[in-house]
Amino acid sequence: MAKAIDFYQKSLDGKEKVGDIHGMAQTLGNLGNVYKARGEWDKAIDFYQKSHDIPGVSATYGMAITYNNLGNVSSQR
């Protein structure tokens, strides 16, 4: 899973450089999923929260996914 984190971080860096806020939100959510799979609940929540907090992300789509991810983590803690 360490490789997944490295690849997602590289993806996030690229998306930040080009200003792809929706891609950034998705990648932050994916990082949260990796940490959730590792049982690192607090890190997962941190990444989900970062995804949620990106200004300009579609309130309907992005927020729904983030709330779903946060709910999944909360149910496993």
Side-chain angles (χ1 to χ4, degrees):
M1 284 191 220
K3 283 192 179 214
I5 291 169
D6 289 340
F7 287 128
Y8 282 134
Q9 191 58 55
K10 288 177 183 178
S11 174
L12 182 60
D13 293 343
K15 290 172 182 177
E16 286 175 343
K17 286 180 184 174
V18 298
D20 179 3
I21 60 171
H22 290 92
M24 288 167 51
Q26 181 179 23
T27 302
L28 287 165
N30 289 339
L31 281 161
N33 291 338
V34 172
Y35 283 108
K36 182 182 82 169
R38 292 172 62 153
E40 296 182 47
W41 315 117
D42 291 336
K43 283 188 179 180
I45 290 169
D46 286 343
F47 278 101
Y48 293 146
Q49 192 64 50
K50 287 178 184 178
S51 173
H52 177 272
D53 292 343
I54 294 175
V57 174
S58 167
T60 304
Y61 181 73
M63 298 273 189
I65 290 172
T66 299
Y67 287 135
N68 184 63
N69 288 336
L70 286 165
N72 286 334
V73 170
S74 297
S75 70
Q76 296 180 11
R77 289 181 89 189

